[in-house]
Amino acid sequence: MEKICDLHTHSIFSDGTWTPSELIDGAINAGISALALTDHNTVEGLPHFIDAAAGKDIEAVLGCEFSVDYEEKELHMLGLFIDPKYFPQITDMMNDVMARKEKSNIDLVESLRNAGIILDYDKIKSATPSGKINRAQNTTVTGSIMLESAKNKDAAWEFIKWWSDHTIQTRYANDVEAALGISARYSS
């Protein structure tokens, strides 16, 4: 019997749209025998992943997708089969990466504010399941908040269309369209 595995998935703890439990259940339903959770720069979802897989007919592979700098470029490196005893050290190591991501998000909100699109960063964070802003699941949240609070609706609308085209993988476009009632596929 052929076995299928997926060794690169993301949950709501980074830029995925499913919880670790939903990933496990979806993989089982798809006939996958081994699944790795490899969230970006965090192992926060892995305890949930372990619990979700317990007693089920699937091998849960513990992983992380690390952002690393190499020759002035950011690369993503997968770490697989991570022992849970190393979760605290990985969390400590990734705190700097996560702080830079948070600063980047705050800078983006400030840039949008300067363009007339007023967003409440704390409101965006509190509207997300993990309290973290990520480009996939939270585009709908941020887009809705943008349209709701923008002084310049046209600028907000143009940014949402640009953002949808440039930062969302195609598989998320339907979610954006459904949530905002728009066509997320925009060409300039």
Side-chain angles (χ1 to χ4, degrees):
M1 180 173 144
E2 181 180 59
K3 292 192 175 190
I4 300 171
C5 64
D6 184 342
L7 298 178
H8 188 181
T9 67
H10 302 291
S11 75
I12 61 168
F13 289 94
S14 69
D15 64 348
T17 56
W18 286 7
T19 66
S21 180
E22 290 169 330
L23 285 170
I24 289 291
D25 292 342
I28 291 169
N29 290 337
I32 292 174
S33 57
L35 183 73
L37 177 58
T38 55
D39 281 325
H40 291 277
N41 303 311
T42 183
V43 293
E44 188 179 353
L46 292 178
H48 305 281
F49 189 67
I50 293 167
D51 291 344
K56 295 183 179 168
D57 191 23
I58 190 165
E59 181 177 353
V61 177
L62 308 181
C64 185
E65 183 171 356
F66 299 98
S67 296
V68 296
D69 294 324
Y70 178 74
E71 294 184 1
E72 299 181 28
K73 293 182 181 177
E74 180 181 283
L75 301 176
H76 293 185
M77 181 176 68
L78 287 182
L80 298 172
F81 301 99
I82 297 172
D83 189 318
K85 73 181 179 186
Y86 296 111
F87 290 177
Q89 291 94 328
I90 292 170
T91 299
D92 288 345
M93 184 177 71
M94 292 292 100
N95 280 340
D96 181 55
V97 172
M98 299 306 280
R100 287 193 317 247
K101 178 63 178 164
E102 180 83 358
K103 182 180 181 329
S104 173
N105 288 336
I106 291 168
D107 289 348
L108 175 60
V109 168
E110 184 61 31
S111 294
L112 291 169
R113 181 177 292 120
N114 293 338
I117 302 170
I118 308 303
L119 295 172
D120 181 336
Y121 188 71
D122 292 330
K123 184 176 181 180
I124 296 168
K125 285 180 70 167
S126 68
T128 64
S130 65
K132 294 183 176 125
I133 296 177
N134 76 54
R135 69 179 178 258
Q137 73 189 45
N138 301 325
T139 301
T140 55
V141 171
T142 306
S144 297
I145 292 170
M146 274 184 192
L147 287 175
E148 170 186 307
S149 61
K151 289 181 182 175
N152 182 337
K153 301 281 189 208
D154 290 336
W157 184 244
E158 289 303 312
F159 180 80
I160 291 167
K161 290 190 288 187
W162 174 87
W163 192 7
S164 296
D165 189 45
H166 291 87
T167 65
I168 304 171
Q169 297 176 15
T170 302
R171 67 179 183 227
Y172 301 116
N174 291 335
D175 295 339
V176 173
E177 290 171 350
L180 297 179
I182 65 168
S183 174
R185 293 167 187 88
Y186 173 75
S187 58
S188 48

